Amino acid sequence: MTNHLRMSLLLLLLLGAAGVSGHAAGRASSVIRSACTVAAKSTWRTPYKYCVQMLSADPKAASAADARGVAIAAANLTASNVTSTVRVVSDLIESLTHCLNIYKEMDQSIAGAIRDLLAGRIETAWQQLSDASYQPGYCELALMEGNLTPKDPVSDENNASIWLSAMTADIAEAIYGHRP
């Protein structure tokens, strides 16, 4: 595993701890405290406070009688996190697939508008460009209204497409002389 990936995972672990109460360390069982002391000195150097907070917040870990019980509880927490992440990524892929289809359609419209502009068919080009200028917004909506967690990894690109396509439609509109 690369150092970059290790650091990314550690950062995710630390960010996850932000939502856990800081008072958990005072309630931690001796088994959790011992397991976290060892974890803090192991390969990943899990931050002790994070370890105690996460495990103390889990009833199964908090009631574990030994390190094996704590490890099982930690593994179950990890499995739950993985399952949740798979759902979020799947939802994101579905939304991105929708966006991909929107942009493929938009690409065809823009190509047609370019052909029409070159041929002097300004009105037809303007209509295609005008229609195309709405498409990035549909992608934006698909990403922001995801089923699980709204994530928009292409926000900058969508905004650029919105402004560029609107600008192009406005220029074609001005040439055509059409005013809404």
Side-chain angles (χ1 to χ4, degrees):
M1 185 172 289
T2 67
N3 283 337
H4 177 71
L5 184 55
R6 283 186 186 133
M7 291 304 295
S8 296
L9 288 172
L10 182 59
L11 180 60
L12 286 172
L13 290 173
L14 291 172
L15 290 173
V20 179
S21 168
H23 296 76
R27 298 189 310 258
S29 70
S30 62
V31 175
I32 288 175
R33 287 193 307 270
S34 295
C36 290
T37 297
V38 171
K41 296 174 185 171
S42 295
T43 303
W44 289 87
R45 304 217 186 288
T46 301
Y48 176 81
K49 186 176 178 180
Y50 170 81
C51 179
V52 169
Q53 286 176 335
M54 292 303 290
L55 293 173
S56 295
D58 181 63
K60 290 182 182 178
S63 64
D66 56 19
R68 184 167 96 39
V70 171
I72 291 169
N76 283 324
L77 286 172
T78 303
S80 293
N81 175 267
V82 168
T83 300
S84 174
T85 302
V86 165
R87 276 188 244 139
V88 169
V89 170
S90 294
D91 184 51
L92 184 56
I93 289 170
E94 184 178 319
S95 295
L96 286 171
T97 300
H98 182 70
C99 285
L100 179 62
N101 291 331
I102 287 171
Y103 274 101
K104 284 179 178 180
E105 193 175 299
M106 187 178 173
D107 188 44
Q108 292 173 354
S109 293
I110 299 298
I114 291 169
R115 284 190 301 273
D116 287 333
L117 285 169
L118 290 170
R121 294 184 297 268
I122 307 299
E123 180 180 8
T124 304
W126 168 75
Q127 289 170 344
Q128 289 177 343
L129 292 166
S130 182
D131 290 344
S133 68
Y134 293 103
Q135 298 307 311
Y138 296 134
C139 175
E140 192 86 13
L141 283 173
L143 291 165
M144 295 311 295
E145 294 177 351
N147 292 328
L148 299 172
T149 305
K151 305 234 184 250
D152 188 351
V154 292
S155 180
D156 291 344
E157 291 80 2
N158 281 334
N159 287 332
S161 292
I162 288 168
W163 287 106
L164 285 168
S165 60
M167 175 188 72
T168 307
D170 286 345
I171 293 168
E173 177 183 351
I175 294 169
Y176 172 61
H178 181 271
R179 299 275 184 247

